Amino acid sequence: MQEKQTPAYTPADIEAAARAYWDDSQAFKAVEDASKPKYYCLSMFPYPSGKLHMGHVRNYTIGDVLTRFHRMRGYNVLQPMGWDAFGLPAENAAIKNAVPPAKWTYDNIAYMKQQLQALGFAIDWNRELATCQPSYYRWNQWLFLRMLEKGIAYKKTQTVNWDPVDQTVLANEQVIDGRGWRTGAVVEKREIPGYYLGITQYADELLDDLDTLDGWPERVRTMQANWIGKSTGVRFAFGHDVRDESGALIGDGKLWVFTTRADTIMGVTFCAVAAEHPLATHAARNNPELAAFIEKCKHGSVMEADMATMEKEGLPTGLTVVHPLTGESVPLWVGNYVLMSYGDGAVMAVPAHDERDFGFAKKYDLPIRQVIATRHHFDLLRDLAVVERDHATPAGFSFQDLLSQHGPERALTMIEDRVSDDAYAEFDYVAAKWAEYRPEDQLPLTDNEATVCINSGPYDGLAYAAAVDAVATDLASKGGEKKVQWRLRDWGVSRQRYWGCPIPIIHCDHCGDVPVPDDQLPVVLPEDCIPDGSGNPLLKRDDFINVACPKCGAAAKRETDTMDTFVDSSWYYARYCSVGNDGAMLDERANYWMQVDQYIGGIEHAILHLLYSRFWSKVMRDMGLMTVKEPFARLLTQGMVLNHAWLHKPEGGGKNYYWESDVDVQRDAKGQITGGRLKADGTVLEHELTTMSKSKNNGVDPQALIDQYGADTARFFMMFASPPEQTLEWNDAGVEGAHRFLKRVWNFAQDYNAELRARVPATSTLGSAKLPAALADLRRELHLVLKQASYDLAKQQFNTVASGCMKMLNALEKAPRDGSDAAEVIGEGLSMLLRVLSPICPHITHALWRDCGFGDDILNSDWPEAAESALVQDEVELMLQVNGKLRGSLRVAADAPKDAIEAAALANEAAQKFMEGKPAKKVVVVPGRLVNIVC
RNA sequence: GCCGGGAUGGCGGAAUCGGUAGACGCAGCGGAUUCAAAAUCCGCCGCCGCAAGGUGUGGGGGUUCGAGUCCCCCUCCCGGCACCA
């Protein structure tokens, strides 16, 4: 035998060679081909923050595994990649380092691209795009103008966070505890004009089409449906006669409100308006306290989470309004929790049945009136009322009625109870706590379907839907009407920022807001600005701002606001298909590739990005740019990769994050983190477990892993660590194990190549000849694992595919090696292992596939199929339970009838021992699984 | 606060339909090899118990012959909340 040195596993060389081969052969170039089924696999493109982190590795490995798997199954695959390149971090970096956002962004892209390439993803780089390229964003502008023409885009005022010191608009992220991140100044709300996209015009379709997205996780569809929030309610007005200085009725004497709980209208004990409401402004004229309160409401956060958690405060206006059904006088308050931008900026308050109103009423000692009860509660109250009435009637006729209706026992009890006041006390709810606003052990009063009105005059006894209808009917004569209300709001896209896509509008003193003509697109963003934190640097760029009006030619000014970066990411998936077309946003190629067959990205995008993309798709369809109505057929929401983050909020405002390497971490006896201090000066830091991100200084760069172990190890480890949808706390313990496994695969394959390969018969005999038992068992195990792995891959559970590969190798290493049968079974097993492993670890499997003579290119091999003939077995083992506890096992023929199994079970020694002589009451036989004797 | 999700050994996780809890790894322990170490290989490994056995899937209750899995209540953690992306 020839002396032969087994080649060592050297990932750096092996991986570079594999990538060179793919590059040379243009292996991942995607070409439209109508003869094959297509598979468009897309991972959410990254923001070029500087370096990849483990969340990226997870995301893109998942996409790559699916892409390669489908390619092996005969699909024409497309996996593109690009850059979500506009955004705030580039401006923050500019403020810190005085580097233009453009340069910073392009440098980051170059570095991260090289990292992605080192990971060996099967990406068609010919289709690469970056949203900050004029060739891309010109189509943002173009479609925006089309939307403007159709009335989908429009202008109105928006509320923003205003930093009074820097004189600039702040992103929510830049507001920390109500103060500006750089100045520490208390942030104000400010109303400024901005452009909106009418996503609410598509609300019905966005909601209805969720039902067609059966390839989406249920939780994402639920979140979107809740976000869209369709509810039917009633809009109506309270009357008033408040007049302004000129004597005119404010708002025509009507205070409009909207409610989804019109059934509680008789429970209204006050109304509340937003600080900006005209009635509030009017009331504050001669009321300094109220004026001060209104001023205070204008400060603070615009964020919903803050609005919901802040202390609910209010002041009476001294005004009253008139209840439209009872004519009662209702006090009018100003509340900091009422938003001018929702509905009409006013609410009716029913403290008994709305938790927020309840809290407000308790705080300010306002009356609470219960008007909803469970049906049971209502019936008892009605009975008591009948008894009371009849008791007071000398004729007393209807005790008989009670008898016939309720039987003697109940009728008597009702009479007796009536005598004692306790009978009513049972139904009085406790007004101390919201949670006690319902009788014990009964349905919550917030369950619409199970409750009825009480104390509500004509509506008593009506259930939710009937009561709402009746109230709406009664309000109709006063202008009230049933109305569908959406939680979804139109999408404000104007950003007072530099590093984004310019909004293509020119402001002319004579012609107003003039759209930039199509032939002047794109409006190119100058790339040499350096933001300094004091507002949009475009405002200082005369060369950008000053322009002739396209209509009248007079001197005019360009809009300096840029678009929300969610615009950029709302259609990139379609542009990949039509990349390079400078004459149109999309072309026919988009209709070939769309929909995206599999979209992969973080769960944090479950609502906004995905909803905006769905909306934009529908607009593109309506504009005739694309035929599909939903962009993403299947969605895999990757769980977040979490890591520890350490932060400190200095006195002057802001938030500083520190790398964990700079922190003394304190832990308790169990190793749980209890706190940490900055090594440098002992500053006490806050700890959070959160997603990896550059801004939090907690990203783990995969580069060290790649350098030390190779890309295949990094990929394998990431897939093996947990199922894709699960949140994953980062921990690199176990990387060694992944690398060890790949080394074993390498050595085993080289060993096979050297010793066994020559003995494999030219023509396969497997499947015909009967194998010796040991080999048949081995082959059965291999095929069983393969079957499981294919099943797991189909359900996108990659961690068990990885462990399946390990099981195959374990089995192969223990296999007998004598004779041609063994060589053949091992060869078949190895070829299955390499192919199953190849989507996860493409480099090592590429090399071994060729080395072992299985073929030229594993990319072009077929996905292996488990042979049913290898799986059959004559006998099966059943577990044997007595009273549900495992007491032994039973070997029976695979096709044994139930009664034979039952008899064998009862005769079993272990079973008899634990039955302790008692007769079997019941025997449960689950074929192929178990026997349970109940005695 | 609201919406969505999660919790299984020391750690990551497995368990397809309600049917042997802990597959596959990591860490640890014992052994082989080695002058020694690394690497590699073999074995053990939830907890209590000498054992028989008992017990165990965040906590409490329920349904079932049988519950990690289904139902109700609670705790903690994570994601989103419209200008981070």
Side-chain angles (χ1 to χ4, degrees), chain A residues 577-887:
Chain A
C577 307
S578 305
V579 81
N581 188 338
D582 289 332
M585 186 169 185
L586 300 179
D587 55 39
E588 262 312 300
R589 291 174 292 169
N591 287 331
Y592 172 80
W593 290 111
M594 290 298 289
Q595 303 164 300
V596 173
D597 295 281
Q598 180 67 61
Y599 197 35
I600 303 136
I603 184 66
E604 76 273 25
H605 293 296
I607 297 175
L608 291 181
H609 163 62
L610 290 169
L611 190 66
Y612 292 147
S613 295
R614 294 180 60 220
F615 160 65
W616 201 275
S617 271
K618 290 176 192 303
V619 173
M620 290 195 293
R621 174 208 58 195
D622 288 349
M623 304 268 179
L625 297 165
M626 197 170 75
T627 52
V628 300
K629 65 175 185 176
E630 283 288 340
F632 314 121
R634 278 171 71 80
L635 174 69
L636 191 160
T637 45
Q638 181 206 193
M640 303 285 81
V641 180
L642 307 180
N643 198 11
H644 305 287
W646 297 94
L647 74 145
H648 177 238
K649 292 179 185 169
E651 289 278 315
K655 223 179 201 180
N656 297 322
Y657 281 93
Y658 297 94
W659 288 99
E660 192 167 53
S661 54
D662 295 329
V663 179
D664 270 328
V665 179
Q666 292 141 20
R667 294 171 190 275
D668 64 15
K670 282 184 145 184
Q672 295 295 304
I673 290 177
T674 55
R677 287 167 178 275
L678 197 57
K679 280 179 186 167
D681 59 10
T683 307
V684 176
L685 301 176
E686 288 177 44
H687 169 253
E688 53 188 26
L689 191 59
T690 181
T691 55
M692 285 189 184
S693 108
K694 185 185 169 79
S695 60
K696 292 178 209 146
N697 280 350
N698 71 338
V700 174
D701 184 351
Q703 201 59 48
L705 278 188
I706 297 171
D707 293 345
Q708 193 175 351
Y709 300 105
D712 281 338
T713 294
R715 295 169 58 121
F716 186 88
F717 174 65
M718 208 63 229
M719 289 300 95
F720 183 61
S722 83
E725 302 222 310
Q726 194 163 307
T727 304
L728 175 65
E729 195 175 329
W730 175 249
N731 180 355
D732 66 5
V735 174
E736 289 277 359
H739 192 243
R740 232 171 353 235
F741 166 67
L742 293 184
K743 265 195 287 195
R744 277 168 58 209
V745 170
W746 180 268
N747 292 334
F748 183 86
Q750 295 298 347
D751 204 37
Y752 162 84
N753 201 25
E755 284 183 28
L756 300 178
R757 184 177 155 190
R759 277 196 267 130
V760 177
T763 318
S764 172
T765 56
L766 294 174
S768 50
K770 177 108 175 148
L771 289 167
L775 283 176
D777 286 351
L778 167 67
R779 187 158 184 257
R780 178 167 179 274
E781 189 178 351
L782 289 167
H783 282 261
L784 212 54
V785 175
L786 170 62
K787 190 176 180 181
Q788 182 67 46
S790 294
Y791 176 86
D792 289 346
L793 207 37
K795 69 173 182 176
Q796 305 180 334
Q797 185 172 294
F798 310 110
N799 55 328
T800 49
V801 176
S803 74
C805 292
M806 289 172 150
K807 285 180 189 174
M808 282 192 195
L809 182 63
N810 289 346
L812 286 168
E813 285 180 338
K814 290 192 180 94
R817 301 171 74 99
D818 300 328
S820 65
D821 280 348
E824 196 179 358
V825 170
I826 290 172
E828 181 197 47
L830 178 60
S831 91
M832 294 186 325
L833 165 60
L834 291 178
R835 282 177 286 167
V836 174
L837 183 59
S838 69
I840 302 175
C841 300
H843 308 89
I844 186 175
T845 50
H846 169 85
L848 292 176
W849 188 254
R850 306 178 77 168
D851 287 357
C852 294
F854 291 122
D856 288 338
D857 189 348
I858 197 169
L859 286 174
N860 298 327
S861 66
D862 292 330
W863 187 258
E865 294 283 349
E868 287 301 325
S869 63
L871 299 178
V872 291
Q873 50 183 348
D874 305 332
E875 282 197 323
V876 292
E877 188 156 311
L878 304 182
M879 64 163 150
L880 177 58
Q881 294 182 334
V882 177
N883 288 329
K885 294 200 180 200
L886 183 67
R887 298 302 186 185

Side-chain angles (χ1 to χ4, degrees), chain A residues 101-407:
Chain A
K103 180 177 165 29
W104 183 85
T105 301
Y106 286 117
D107 287 351
N108 287 348
I109 287 174
Y111 184 79
M112 290 170 76
K113 180 175 179 180
Q114 159 263 313
Q115 286 193 302
L116 287 177
Q117 288 174 325
L119 281 159
F121 297 130
I123 289 165
D124 180 359
W125 285 104
N126 299 301
R127 296 172 186 261
E128 181 181 6
L129 59 81
T131 57
C132 62
Q133 294 161 336
S135 59
Y136 181 82
Y137 67 68
R138 73 175 290 174
W139 301 109
N140 285 1
Q141 297 172 342
W142 181 82
L143 198 73
F144 174 82
L145 295 175
R146 299 293 85 74
M147 289 194 203
L148 212 51
E149 287 161 4
K150 295 227 188 252
I152 300 171
Y154 63 94
K155 200 174 184 182
K156 72 170 185 187
T157 63
Q158 51 179 351
T159 311
V160 296
N161 302 304
W162 180 255
D163 186 319
V165 174
D166 265 349
Q167 293 283 300
T168 190
V169 174
L170 298 178
N172 284 339
E173 191 191 46
Q174 297 171 318
V175 179
I176 294 138
D177 299 335
R179 291 169 182 274
W181 66 316
R182 296 177 68 236
T183 63
V186 175
V187 167
E188 297 170 12
K189 286 181 207 163
R190 181 168 277 212
E191 302 283 324
I192 60 170
Y195 286 92
Y196 281 79
L197 303 183
I199 190 171
T200 55
Q201 296 171 34
Y202 286 80
D204 268 312
E205 203 189 342
L206 287 166
L207 183 64
D208 292 346
D209 285 352
L210 283 174
D211 293 339
T212 70
L213 298 176
D214 44 20
W216 283 39
E218 195 56 47
R219 60 167 158 162
V220 176
R221 292 197 277 170
T222 305
M223 279 190 263
Q224 293 223 343
N226 289 344
W227 184 263
I228 294 167
K230 183 178 188 174
S231 59
T232 308
V234 179
R235 181 175 182 262
F236 67 95
F238 287 78
H240 67 78
D241 59 358
V242 183
R243 291 168 189 277
D244 63 19
E245 271 112 2
S246 66
L249 277 171
I250 293 177
D252 288 336
K254 288 177 189 298
L255 175 71
W256 287 97
V257 299
F258 174 84
T259 178
T260 57
R261 292 302 306 268
D263 58 321
T264 64
I265 193 167
M266 303 307 254
V268 171
T269 56
F270 63 99
C271 284
V273 296
E276 298 86 354
H277 195 279
L279 285 176
T281 313
H282 176 81
R285 276 179 321 146
N286 303 313
N287 184 340
E289 194 194 357
L290 186 60
F293 177 72
I294 289 171
E295 194 50 39
K296 192 179 145 202
C297 288
K298 288 180 182 169
H299 290 284
S301 170
V302 301
M303 280 178 264
E304 190 200 71
D306 291 337
M307 297 296 290
T309 49
M310 73 182 177
E311 180 74 18
K312 311 289 178 290
E313 291 183 333
L315 268 188
T317 58
L319 306 173
T320 57
V321 293
V322 180
H323 193 291
L325 295 178
T326 64
E328 240 181 319
S329 182
V330 177
L332 181 68
W333 285 61
V334 177
N336 64 349
Y337 64 96
V338 185
L339 297 180
M340 198 61 213
S341 49
Y342 282 101
D344 296 282
V347 295
M348 70 174 209
V350 184
H353 306 293
D354 178 281
E355 193 169 3
R356 194 176 51 183
D357 294 342
F358 176 77
F360 197 86
K362 293 305 287 182
K363 180 166 180 172
Y364 296 107
D365 206 19
L366 293 158
I368 297 170
R369 187 185 300 159
Q370 183 185 17
V371 289
I372 294 291
T374 59
R375 170 68 70 182
H376 170 74
H377 181 179
F378 171 77
D379 287 346
L380 291 177
L381 283 176
R382 187 189 53 192
D383 291 347
L384 279 168
V386 169
V387 170
E388 189 167 55
R389 185 194 69 202
D390 296 345
H391 212 68
T393 309
F397 71 96
S398 61
F399 185 60
Q400 292 304 318
D401 285 351
L402 285 179
L403 275 175
S404 62
Q405 272 180 36
H406 302 288

